[in-house]
Amino acid sequence: MKTPLITFLLLSAVTLKVFSQTAVQSVSNTKDSVKRSLPSPLPDPPFPTSDWDGGPLIGSDGTAPLYPMQKALGLTHTKFRVYGWIDPGANISSSKNSNAPTSYDLIPNNVVLDQVGLKFDLQPNTVQTDHVSAGFLLTTIFGTDYRYTTGKGYFSNQLLGNNNKYGFDPAEMYGLIYFPKIADGMLLKVGRFISPADIEAQWATDNYLYSHSLMFTVDPYTFTGAQATFKLGSYWQLEVGVHAGNDMAPWSPSAQINGLLMARWVSHDNNNSLYGGINSLGNGDYTRQHDDLQMVVATWGHKFNETFHMMTEAYYMWQYHALTGGTVINGPAQPFYTGVGPGNLIPGTENAVGIVNYFQIFVSPKNYFSIRNDALNDPQGGRTGYATWYSSHTIGFVHYFNDYIRIRPEIRYERAYADGITPYDNGTKKDQYTAAMDLIVRF
């Protein structure tokens, strides 16, 4: 085990000891003065979330609304939730065969089923401070988007062995235990969970726009391990975790131990938020044709007023002895994705830098505009297979017909800047224009 991981584990142990001692000493004096949850800074709807990044939020009721399927089943007098969504999408593109590295609207000039999601959800009660509370979450998806959440060891041969157009993925499977007497509340998560960093989420229901930025196309999607979230007063949360590496089951032959240490701060007026730290830190050795991405990341959320807010995120990722294109898909090649088979060896360190800004304009309780600008530097081609800077620029509009149905039309332009590098349309074009839209129906 290399020095960075040893240092991380030692720092984590010291941090936990200090916080636990503080909690024991102060629980009787300060517990009642701690606000369990600040007011939500953003309206939901129309925005996909009402809170800044850095969930789960201890002290806030995480119970989902009652959606039509649950009502039809007659399960209206329980905290358990069962619900889902269907998300078909379409796009018109200047590319003919593939929109890669764009995601998730990968297949150009086509209509596809991006996601059918199904959730089984029981959230622990973190508002109270009297007793231990438990819960769980299971999320499965089917559609073309499975290729982005696939984890090696979880039905992964659909993608890594067959490069299928459609597939299934049990992307979230974890238990939750809330301990109210540790710090100002601690929530322990064990299982497979979404990588905690990122403005963008894996589920269509949780994103500002239909398509995804370039930088979030190539970073970690899920981890399998344990994560403890500590509430530290009214404005801070700390996350400490350990996992098997990005997008891998612990039983995968590529799995490696990695640590996680993230912090969330919200200003007293709740108009600013900072969330960041170490998303993944371990040996960082690309192993058996699979990435082991190391990542430091920071997100800033800012609310100008009731009409305008923005989210900005930047990351630095690295690993060692990787191949161009990252984790290997062993084929067969498909017209929409030809980048199969192992790439070329990248000696030493492979790295990438990404930055994105989302600027939102509230129009009404059923409408908003979102303007996204992002850049990705892939200097060795380890993330996309092409060594170049990229940028993408997107303007989207979101309209809710009602609480269960929305559309997200958008237009987008993106470009690669290195001389002679043509990543788009299976390596034939330097840039790409798209117009796209999806339809989200909750049930």
Side-chain angles (χ1 to χ4, degrees), residues 31-328:
K31 179 72 69 176
D32 292 339
S33 68
V34 173
K35 295 179 184 177
R36 300 308 296 159
S37 181
L38 295 178
S40 296
L42 309 172
D44 170 20
F47 300 116
T49 179
S50 60
D51 290 299
W52 300 121
D53 276 5
L57 302 183
I58 296 173
S60 176
D61 185 359
T63 304
L66 288 168
Y67 287 107
M69 181 169 64
Q70 180 137 10
K71 293 178 182 179
L73 293 172
L75 302 174
T76 58
H77 301 287
T78 173
K79 289 289 188 179
F80 170 72
R81 295 291 187 262
V82 54
Y83 57 99
W85 63 92
I86 183 169
D87 178 38
N91 73 88
I92 301 170
S93 174
S94 61
S95 294
K96 295 181 179 180
N97 297 294
S98 176
N99 285 339
T102 294
S103 64
Y104 293 172
D105 51 338
L106 174 66
I107 304 173
N109 306 302
N110 216 311
V111 178
V112 299
L113 178 60
D114 289 280
Q115 298 180 5
V116 176
L118 187 61
K119 280 188 180 252
F120 301 89
D121 182 7
L122 177 63
Q123 290 294 311
N125 183 352
T126 68
V127 177
Q128 53 81 29
T129 60
D130 298 323
H131 60 271
V132 173
S133 181
F136 67 90
L137 181 67
L138 169 64
T139 308
T140 66
I141 64 164
F142 175 83
T144 57
D145 292 354
Y146 90 100
R147 68 173 44 243
Y148 302 104
T149 64
T150 290
K152 190 173 183 179
Y154 296 106
F155 306 100
S156 53
N157 198 54
Q158 298 171 96
L159 176 65
L160 301 183
N162 298 323
N163 197 23
N164 290 341
K165 179 178 178 179
Y166 287 97
F168 164 83
D169 186 33
E172 292 181 289
M173 299 182 292
Y174 58 80
L176 293 161
I177 306 177
Y178 167 63
F179 299 92
K181 303 302 183 182
I182 300 179
D184 293 307
M186 184 197 85
L187 187 62
L188 179 64
K189 178 191 300 183
V190 180
R192 187 185 184 197
F193 51 88
I194 301 295
S195 167
D198 295 354
I199 297 168
E200 296 178 13
Q202 280 72 341
W203 314 135
T205 53
D206 302 330
N207 283 297
Y208 286 116
L209 292 169
Y210 171 35
S211 70
H212 289 244
S213 62
L214 292 166
M215 64 179 283
F216 288 135
T217 300
V218 298
D219 70 341
Y221 281 80
T222 67
F223 296 141
T224 303
Q227 175 186 310
T229 300
F230 299 85
K231 184 176 179 61
L232 307 173
S234 301
Y235 308 101
W236 288 88
Q237 282 195 172
L238 178 73
E239 298 171 353
V240 180
V242 61
H243 57 80
N246 65 283
D247 308 298
M248 290 183 280
W251 50 85
S252 162
S254 300
Q256 301 182 62
I257 188 171
N258 283 266
L260 179 157
L261 182 62
M262 302 279 287
R264 179 185 190 267
W265 168 83
V266 176
S267 63
H268 284 217
D269 61 9
N270 212 10
N271 287 334
N272 287 279
S273 173
L274 294 174
Y275 175 58
I278 300 166
N279 195 40
S280 191
L281 183 64
N283 287 330
D285 289 328
Y286 184 100
T287 302
R288 299 188 181 182
Q289 300 191 336
H290 201 288
D291 292 318
D292 184 34
L293 295 171
Q294 312 293 281
M295 182 181 184
V296 291
V297 59
T299 300
W300 172 38
H302 177 65
K303 180 180 176 180
F304 297 93
N305 51 43
E306 297 304 317
T307 303
F308 304 106
H309 78 272
M310 72 175 185
M311 298 285 289
T312 302
E313 184 164 340
Y315 69 53
Y316 175 71
M317 296 192 302
W318 73 97
Q319 59 181 334
Y320 306 106
H321 316 299
L323 303 184
T324 56
T327 296
V328 176

